[in-house]
Amino acid sequence: MDLMNGTQVTVFVFSGLTDDKKLLPFLFILFSLIYIISIVGNIGIIALVYNSYKLHSPMYYFLSVLSLIDVLYASVISPKMIFDLLLVNKVISFTGCALQFFFYAALGASEDFLLSTMSYDRYVAICHPLHYMSIMTKKKCLCLVSVVFSVGFLQSSVQTSCTFSLQFCGSNLIDHFYCDVPPVLKLSCSNTFYCNMVTLCIVAIGTVIPFLTIIFSYMLILSSILRMTSAKGRKKAFSTCSSHLMCASVFYIGLFFNYLRPPSSVFSSQDKVSSIFYAVVTPMLNPLVYTLRNQEIRRTIEKAMHNLSAADRISSVFRHKMGT
């Protein structure tokens, strides 16, 4: 598809986060730290899962995929947004805008469906523990992840092709800090009714189905936990679900505030704050939640830190002996 066919606009300009120049240095430092924590935290989770044999289970395999999505998801928006804080003219090409939205929507949808897949994994682990490994085989996990990415990228392809095939022949000022469908559609001089309906249907269906899957899974999980006679068993079951439940809650709170609400003609500062939370902060929270709430992850981190400390002491002793 030729994105430039029939359009006079070749570049878009972002309005940015704020017009207050005094805030820009603070925001630059803040969002740079958030981005660094997001990347380091999620790559750390991937490394832990890959290197620790105890974490080689479907639950942590899905967690490592979630961390991979968050690394890519944060990198689609944050670097450009941070760099723009230093610039007067926050410019992005038409094709660059389309690509940014494509990967942003694809990865967001993939995370949405992955969270529902993780809830299914928790349902099988708690409600059918004796058959867990026979149900959640390596092949099935790979198939589920493949479906997650396929649906996410297919959904994004439809939205992107619909939006960026429109005519853009007027203002090129996007009242936002990244390319998202609602502010971009406001700039089109074509009839946007069809694209608005497509976006609404895709976001609604792509949100409601995974959300209901999570709710239904946890209803069955809760029912199974309440039937357990052992208090220790109930506590362990709750602890294995709490991290995922918190991550899903954070994701859907941001999603609902960002998209599933009545549209307004003016993109307010509150809209930008909700977008920051959803697109920038959420990727940082997932590794923090699992680090703080998941005992197995914490034990693995503590063991790795202990091994590093021991290796450092041995290295120091060896260097001291070599010196003498």
Side-chain angles (χ1 to χ4, degrees):
M1 179 185 67
D2 184 6
L3 291 175
M4 299 304 297
N5 186 29
T7 179
Q8 297 176 17
V9 171
T10 58
V11 296
F12 289 110
V13 179
F14 295 128
S15 64
L17 287 172
T18 179
D19 295 326
D20 189 345
K21 293 182 180 180
K22 293 180 181 179
L23 279 176
L24 294 181
F26 169 74
L27 293 177
F28 178 81
I29 295 171
L30 174 64
F31 291 123
S32 296
L33 287 174
I34 289 174
Y35 179 63
I36 291 169
I37 293 170
S38 299
I39 298 302
V40 172
N42 283 294
I43 291 178
I45 292 290
I46 295 171
L48 279 176
V49 173
Y50 180 79
N51 290 301
S52 177
Y53 179 77
K54 288 185 177 180
L55 301 182
H56 289 184
S57 67
M59 174 184 174
Y60 296 106
Y61 168 69
F62 290 130
L63 175 59
S64 65
V65 175
L66 178 65
S67 293
L68 174 62
I69 291 175
D70 281 335
V71 168
L72 300 174
Y73 187 65
S75 299
V76 169
I77 302 295
S78 294
K80 171 66 176 168
M81 180 197 71
I82 293 167
F83 186 66
D84 281 346
L85 290 170
L86 304 176
L87 302 177
V88 176
N89 296 318
K90 303 165 180 59
V91 178
I92 188 170
S93 68
F94 188 94
T95 304
C97 187
L99 288 172
Q100 186 186 59
F101 173 73
F102 172 75
F103 286 107
Y104 164 74
L107 294 167
S110 298
E111 180 160 344
D112 193 1
F113 283 96
L114 181 64
L115 287 170
S116 67
T117 302
M118 293 172 76
S119 71
Y120 169 71
D121 170 71
R122 292 298 82 210
Y123 156 73
V124 176
I126 292 173
C127 299
H128 303 282
L130 299 179
H131 304 286
Y132 177 64
M133 295 309 298
S134 62
I135 296 174
M136 300 303 296
T137 61
K138 184 177 180 180
K139 183 178 179 180
K140 186 171 184 178
C141 291
L142 288 172
C143 287
L144 287 170
V145 169
S146 298
V147 170
V148 162
F149 280 108
S150 298
V151 173
F153 277 81
L154 177 62
Q155 175 178 305
S156 178
S157 298
V158 174
Q159 280 188 278
T160 305
S161 60
C162 180
T163 301
F164 290 90
S165 61
L166 297 174
Q167 298 285 322
F168 294 89
C169 49
S171 172
N172 67 341
L173 178 63
I174 298 177
D175 189 16
H176 209 345
F177 59 91
Y178 67 93
C179 291
D180 200 2
V181 163
V184 170
L185 286 179
K186 290 176 183 178
L187 303 181
S188 176
C189 49
S190 303
N191 184 349
T192 61
F193 176 79
Y194 172 71
C195 280
N196 277 318
M197 290 299 101
V198 167
T199 300
L200 180 63
C201 290
I202 286 177
V203 172
I205 294 172
T207 301
V208 170
I209 291 176
F211 182 72
L212 290 179
T213 301
I214 292 173
I215 294 297
F216 185 65
S217 295
Y218 275 102
M219 287 174 62
L220 296 175
I221 288 170
L222 182 60
S223 175
S224 180
I225 290 175
L226 292 176
R227 290 198 301 269
M228 292 180 180
T229 56
S230 169
K232 185 178 179 181
R234 287 197 297 270
K235 183 179 179 180
K236 184 178 179 181
F238 274 122
S239 67
T240 62
C241 296
S242 61
S243 300
H244 171 263
L245 198 55
M246 288 181 67
C247 287
S249 299
V250 168
F251 179 84
Y252 280 104
I253 287 171
L255 183 64
F256 289 151
F257 272 102
N258 213 36
Y259 292 108
L260 299 183
R261 55 181 175 166
S264 60
S265 57
V266 179
F267 202 76
S268 66
S269 58
Q270 288 84 358
D271 294 313
K272 290 184 180 180
V273 170
S274 66
S275 296
I276 288 170
F277 182 80
Y278 176 66
V280 179
V281 178
T282 299
M284 177 190 69
L285 294 179
N286 289 341
L288 291 179
V289 168
Y290 271 93
T291 301
L292 294 173
R293 298 289 303 174
N294 188 282
Q295 293 182 5
E296 195 64 48
I297 291 285
R298 286 207 309 273
R299 282 197 292 265
T300 303
I301 293 174
E302 289 169 1
K303 184 179 178 182
M305 296 298 292
H306 176 75
N307 291 339
L308 284 173
S309 178
D312 185 60
R313 287 197 299 270
I314 293 171
S315 178
S316 297
V317 171
F318 181 75
R319 286 196 301 268
H320 178 72
K321 289 184 176 181
M322 290 294 292
T324 58

